[in-house]
Amino acid sequence: MPHVGVLGAGAVGAYVGARLLAGNVGEGAVSDLKVTLVGRESLLDAVEANGGVLVTHTIAGERADHVQDDHFVVTKDVGALADAEIILVAVKASHTEGVAKQLRDLFAASPGAAGPQRTIISLQNGVTNARILREIINDEKVAVLAGSVVFNVVWAGADFSQTTSGDIVVQDGPQASLFGRLSTRGGIPVVVQPDITALQYGKLLINLNNAVNALAGIPILDCFKDPGLRRSIALSIYEAIDVLSRAGIPIKSPNKSSIYMLPRLFSLPDCLFRIVMPFVIKIHPKAKTSMLQDLERGRTTEIDLLNGEIVRVAKEHNLEEPFVNATLVRLVKEAESRGSPKMDGEQLLSLLSPAPKAKH
Ligand SMILES: CC(C)(CO)C(=O)C(=O)O
């Protein structure tokens, strides 16, 4: 019976864990599965208040599955992952180093508890997590695979709803195909690829909309109705593509549409945007980016690893500071202490246009 652990069972982590169970336990299941969700007190409380049941809604709403806690464990204790063959890391990118140290110590204290091989799959936003986990854990019996979740999840109580379409992409390696099979049976298709770095940068470009969404403070669909907010997203993506290409970093789309089309799509006038958008991605009216959800929960965001990564790459390659993304980093950092400023498109666009240089 495979044991899959989720370390950082927030919106995405608990959703993926619950979908694995929905597709792989009970009547007609091909394999039996044990899932351990390591999360915060709020998850434990929500599951208890819901009679030990987790509910998941897939994007089209065609499936609402209930999984009972005789199939899973929810806990705050990382030690519960000692015998997990596969550990999905879904903590915020700012916590990667901390959990890597916890896992390193756990594995050192329980060698062999999960058999000859452990696999860690990073399901986090950003491009550096798998490397950090690999470097800190530094154990030849532990494979660390990069991964990327290309959809959004909104969490309320013990209810987890997938609110945009998209798959999971995972770097090939030990147990990647087992995870892929389990997840696909649970209704989340997994694409396994030998190297996913270019795809991770592609996902990062999609994630640049998180900052605009967080500053607007409204659901993604409402955000996309404002041409100024759409233009702000387009500007940040154009600028990022420019920085990454000048730095020689390849970019590949993690979904079916071309990543280079994305800023053009966001620059379309309302009437065209409304026609084209549904062909690119399905979005539920409740969808809010993880960055806005973080601001609403009073947490620090992943801004440094998203728009901040573009600023970092520019600096590393001695390029001019990317004004739009640097400004978004500054504004989101201010919002982390004050809450979302709930800007409209015109307000945000005016801040994203550099002041004209003084004439001598
Ligand atoms: C909404 C989505 C899918 C893309 O920005 C996301 O990854 C997030 O919320 O972090």
Side-chain angles (χ1 to χ4, degrees):
M1 168 164 79
H3 179 191
V4 178
V6 179
L7 181 48
V12 166
Y15 177 76
V16 174
R19 296 267 9 127
L20 290 179
L21 288 167
N24 294 282
V25 294
E27 224 178 290
V30 188
S31 60
D32 212 358
L33 180 70
K34 176 179 170 191
V35 169
T36 298
L37 303 173
V38 179
R40 294 174 191 249
E41 192 74 50
S42 50
L43 177 73
L44 276 65
D45 292 347
V47 175
E48 197 190 336
N50 203 38
V53 174
L54 276 172
V55 185
T56 52
H57 305 267
T58 52
I59 172 65
E62 80 279 19
R63 285 173 74 161
D65 287 278
H66 296 65
V67 283
Q68 182 70 45
D69 61 1
D70 43 3
H71 291 296
F72 66 89
V73 173
V74 328
T75 174
K76 289 195 290 183
D77 177 17
V78 178
L81 302 178
D83 65 353
E85 292 97 339
I86 299 178
I87 298 177
L88 310 174
V89 174
V91 296
K92 293 288 167 200
S94 53
H95 296 150
T96 303
E97 213 177 299
V99 300
K101 289 180 183 154
Q102 284 180 307
L103 289 174
R104 179 195 59 198
D105 297 348
L106 176 68
F107 298 161
S110 52
Q117 170 84 56
R118 288 176 163 112
T119 298
I120 295 178
I121 303 178
S122 157
L123 294 183
Q124 300 162 276
N125 282 337
V127 293
T128 51
N129 299 294
R131 181 180 49 74
I132 296 172
L133 286 160
R134 204 171 292 125
E135 279 172 10
I136 294 177
I137 295 169
N138 189 23
D139 180 340
E140 58 186 20
K141 295 199 187 73
V142 181
V144 178
L145 310 180
S148 183
V149 175
V150 192
F151 54 80
N152 177 257
V153 177
V154 169
W155 165 21
D159 254 66
F160 293 82
S161 306
Q162 183 177 337
T163 52
T164 65
S165 50
D167 302 339
I168 291 182
V169 187
V170 174
Q171 177 189 359
D172 202 2
Q175 316 205 74
S177 49
L178 170 62
F179 170 67
R181 280 197 304 279
L182 294 172
S183 178
T184 304
R185 269 188 230 137
I188 309 175
V190 171
V191 180
V192 178
Q193 301 246 335
D195 180 358
I196 70 157
T197 315
L199 286 165
Q200 285 181 298
Y201 273 102
K203 170 73 195 314
L204 189 140
L205 293 184
I206 297 175
N207 275 139
L208 297 179
N209 92 90
N210 291 19
V212 173
N213 180 244
L215 295 169
I218 51 180
I220 299 176
L221 265 187
D222 295 330
C223 195
F224 288 179
K225 284 183 189 149
D226 180 328
L229 294 174
R230 290 206 304 275
R231 182 71 192 143
S232 304
I233 297 170
L235 290 178
S236 67
I237 302 177
Y238 275 128
E239 187 183 71
I241 291 177
D242 180 52
V243 168
L244 295 177
S245 67
R246 288 208 270 153
I249 296 176
I251 321 162
K252 204 166 149 192
S253 177
N255 54 31
K256 286 176 194 81
S257 50
S258 153
I259 204 73
Y260 295 96
M261 282 302 293
L262 205 58
R264 287 193 209 157
L265 171 71
F266 284 116
S267 305
L268 288 175
D270 275 337
C271 51
L272 283 178
F273 181 78
R274 246 180 280 135
I275 296 171
V276 181
M277 189 63 195
F279 290 100
V280 177
I281 186 173
K282 278 192 209 160
I283 306 177
H284 189 279
K286 280 201 299 196
K288 289 179 178 178
T289 62
S290 52
M291 194 171 285
L292 176 54
Q293 295 184 53
D294 282 341
L295 280 191
E296 289 178 342
R297 292 195 164 102
R299 299 200 185 132
T300 52
T301 69
E302 297 185 313
I303 191 71
D304 281 331
L305 294 123
L306 300 177
N307 308 68
E309 170 68 8
I310 302 302
V311 179
R312 188 199 66 74
V313 169
K315 199 166 180 189
E316 187 181 277
H317 290 81
N318 295 318
L319 304 172
E320 196 181 323
E321 178 172 81
F323 180 81
V324 173
N325 284 289
T327 306
L328 288 169
V329 171
R330 179 175 57 75
L331 293 172
V332 170
K333 281 190 181 289
E334 283 168 17
E336 283 177 354
S337 46
R338 298 185 206 149
S340 170
K342 296 193 174 288
M343 288 182 191
D344 65 22
E346 257 180 52
Q347 287 169 311
L348 184 56
L349 261 186
S350 69
L351 296 174
L352 298 182
S353 318
K357 294 215 169 80
K359 287 196 184 122
H360 296 287

